[in-house]
Structure formats: structure tokens, C-alpha cells
Amino acid sequence: MQASNDILPATGPAIILVEPQLGENIGMVARAMANFGLSELRLVTPRDGWPSEKARAAASRADHVIDAARVYDDLASAVADLNFVFATTARARDNFKPVRGPVEAGRALRARQRSGQRTGILFGRERFGLYNDEVGLADEIVTFPVDPAFSSLNIAQAALLMSYEWMKSGLEDETKTNFSSPDMMPATKEQLHGLFAYLEGALEARGYFRPAPKKPKMVDNLRAVLTRAGLAEPELKVLRGIISSLDRFSPAMPRGDGSPGDDPRRLPAAAARAAKGTDKDQA
Amino acid sequence: MQASNDILPATGPAIILVEPQLGENIGMVARAMANFGLSELRLVTPRDGWPSEKARAAASRADHVIDAARVYDDLASAVADLNFVFATTARARDNFKPVRGPVEAGRALRARQRSGQRTGILFGRERFGLYNDEVGLADEIVTFPVDPAFSSLNIAQAALLMSYEWMKSGLEDETKTNFSSPDMMPATKEQLHGLFAYLEGALEARGYFRPAPKKPKMVDNLRAVLTRAGLAEPELKVLRGIISSLDRFSPAMPRGDGSPGDDPRRLPAAAARAAKGTDKDQA
């Protein structure tokens, strides 16, 4: 089958599998592509024919990739409409091709895409990869920084890594994530100092800072622990709730038993004094 | 089984699979770890028990990872000896954990490793990932920049990406590859100009540059094509060989037939003159 102009506008490089042997691997490649926003899968004479139910099952609902896959009789036809092609390989070839790592390759593909070029990435057979003359049809080589002692990557894994680097190359910032950390901006110092005052008051009321000459150092240490964590406001609230609970309730008289402490407006006298900072000489 | 101090010195983060369901997936995780230099696999109550022949088969000779895998009764035991733990998840959690992308996470793990910390990465069950209380046992969250419309990553794929980012974080330069491009330093201008002279002489001898007023533009264009490719010296040699063959032989009198051209020292008279640049007014 010849490539033709009715192929959908590419949204990224075509993934081209040369004589893939197992339908399962084709399916896993399709899934990896879908994970990272690729959709154009080309197959050069898949060993077990096409379509493949095993491929569809392994694609795990990436049906849009499987349905749009095209089969070609030879590699030259499969790349005929492309402007730039990478060949993936785990071993050095005796040719003049530049060799790139996957990060560089992802960025190069993105730059070409942005300039309107159509691109593709070749992956060889499970058992022995690409022949030299197949690599020769590509513009450049991409290889992965694998442990040389264990360098054999499954084609689905190789396709996953390139799909991933393609996606990453489109991110404004590689630290960007699909969902965010909660607002972990450290609380203002005023909020933090409010917690210090409350906690130190509650401890003071219990005679924690003893002997008195050690109090300044003890306060220093306590403040250092709570400062180092860079706590955000919601975290301060959690801590305040914990301290308040320890301060106002006891195992024998827990929250909600109708004790005076059940009313948050009524603090036990000592803690109330402590929180106001009027209790400085109690220790 | 408790973690104990007889575990081998870590050479990278431990990969911790929480209740993995399929031996095949455990094996593929082991293979991905081996590809990128990781070796410490921990399993929390694998559904189908351990050891697993399916895991060994899928590991594709990463036997050292399979053989060293340890099984734990619960997640707390599996992380007990670690100083820092990432949880992988595809969805936002309602907690205070910082959320990182995989590149950042790989660098953070490397920095902690260098400071002597032992680290780990948690991966959840195939069907539904990690429970919130399991994520709660980790320090931070790592998530992948997947297409939100197709975000489900197989655990072997997720482990592959983290293993890959771990390896990358140890490279001095992310463009470094296991094998190199050939020496593609562009040839010197003297070498390039030698090719121009030879080619232009051979063309001149054939009356290529006609009409004469167009010659300067034709020469310009020819030199531009050959300059733009940034050809290296070995490539110039290939081109010189091609031009020489076209120049000196014909289909009717190929190289090696005993013709005068078979002796590289004997150039046909016109080409010899052209190469010496003594033929300027022939066109």
C-alpha cells in the first residue's frame, strides 16, 4: 500500500514498526503512543498479518491508534511522504549518520513539526532490530542511554520512551505536571509566629520549659523544627488543631463529651493565659 | 519479611510494587530496571505468589533482578529502611505532598543517593494504583506528563520511565549516547574547495556551464548545495570517488576492464586539464 495524501494531518511523528513479530507488541506500542499524544502508526509487513486481535487487546483501549494503523509493503513506501526520519538502534552502525539521545531527538522532532515537516521514527524487529540498509533510509540515529550490560529494549519500551520524549518536548517546562502540588507556598511569618505563640504558651502552662535557663535554647530548637519544614498555611491549621486538641482535651475527657473544652471559645484557663502570652514567668 | 541490613548496598532507588497482579508485569519491570541500571526490586504481597516463572520469563534474562527480589507482608515494612520515597500516581490526591515530574524526580533521587540516602519508588496495582494511605507513606508524588485523555500507564511502562530518568540523572550530559556519531566535523574549507575544483573541472570539460554568462550563478548554486550539507572529510572522499567514477569511466568501459582509466594516475586528457584548472575557456 502506498502512502497517500488522505492521511490525517500529523499531530506528531509517525511511529513505524518494521516487520513487527508479535501483535501484543504492536498493541503495546499503540498504547504507549496514546499515552503521550501520538496517533499515527505504520506497519511494514507485520509477520502475523493485519488486523490483529492480539494487538487490539494489548492496546488497552487505544483503539483509535489501532484503527488508523496503515500497512506498507516496504519501508521506502512507509517513509515516502515524510521529510525527516529517525532510526532507533541499540548498536553503532558504520555509516555517516549523526547519533542523538532521546531528549535531543524529541526536541529535534518538535522543531521540525513546528516548521511544518512530517517526521517519523523507525523501530526494528523484536529479534534483531533494523538492517543497515533500513537505517540507511533514515536521516539520523537515536539510541537510548541503557546499561551497556543489558541493552536490549523491547520495541514497546523503545516506542514508549520516544513517545514520552516527544510529549516532553512540547511542554513549556519539563517540571510541569498534569495536576499540581497543593498550594505549598510557605505560610507568612505572622502565621508561623502565631503558631509558635500558641504552642509555646501551651507548653509553658505545663512547665515544659525547665530548667528556666534552658528555655531560650528550647524555644530556639522548637522554632527551628517548625521553620525548617517550610509549612504552608493549611499545614499550620492542621498543627494548630493537633496542639489545640492535646491542650484542651484529655483521654478521659475527649472532645464532644460536653466538657467545657467542647466549646472552642472556652479555653482552659492556663492555656488561655498562655495563648495571650501573659504567663511568662510560670516555668 | 522484614527489610534487613544484609540487603546489598543500593545502586539506585528500590522499585517497590504494591500488590502486583500479573507475574508478566513484574518480569517486565525487572527488565526495565536492568536496562537502566537498577537492581533492587521489592514486592508487597504479589497476588500470585513468589517466585513466579511468568515473571522470570518476562524479565528476558534480567535474572539478577528477579533472584534478588524481596517479598514483604506490608508496605510499611517494604519502605522501613528507606530515607525517602516517591509514590507514582496518575491522579491528584487530597494531601500535602509535593508533586514532581519524572525529570525532577530522577534528579532528586540522584541527589539523595549522592548524599548517602536510600530511596524508593512505589508503584500501585495494575487495576487501581495506590490507595491514599499508601501514598501517605511516601514523601512526595511523581506523575507522568501523559495525555489526560489516555492517562493509564501500565506499571511496567511507569517503572521504565522512572528507571530511564534515574539513568539520565546520572549522565553528565543528557545528549551523551552509548555510541557516538562518526567524526562529523565539517571538512576544512581547503578540502571542500579541492572538491569544487575537481567537480567544476570535470563539468567544464563536458560543457556543463552553458550559456557562459550563466556560469557564475551555476557555480554559486553548485557550491551552495555542497556547502550546506556541512560535509565531513570522509564524506568528501565518497563524493570525490563518485565524481571520479562518473568522470573517468562509462557504462561501456567500466572500471577494471583494463581500459586506460583503470589506472588512477592516467586521467582522460580533458578531465586532467580541468582538474588542473587550465581549461577555463572551453565552454
Side-chain angles (χ1 to χ4, degrees), chain B residues 195 198-199 202-203 206 236-250 253-255 261-268 271 275:
Chain B
L195 181 74
Y198 182 42
L199 175 58
L203 292 172
R206 284 164 176 74
L236 288 188
K237 284 187 180 150
V238 170
L239 280 184
R240 202 163 181 122
I242 290 169
I243 296 162
S244 164
S245 180
L246 290 171
D247 187 34
R248 292 161 52 207
F249 306 102
S250 71
M253 201 178 282
R255 171 178 227 134
D262 199 20
D263 177 354
R265 287 162 304 183
R266 269 201 254 165
L267 291 175

Side-chain angles (χ1 to χ4, degrees), chain B residues 5-28:
Chain B
N5 290 329
D6 61 356
I7 294 176
L8 291 173
T11 57
I15 298 294
I16 302 151
L17 307 184
V18 180
E19 296 188 357
Q21 294 162 276
L22 297 173
E24 288 85 342
N25 283 331
I26 301 173
M28 288 169 66

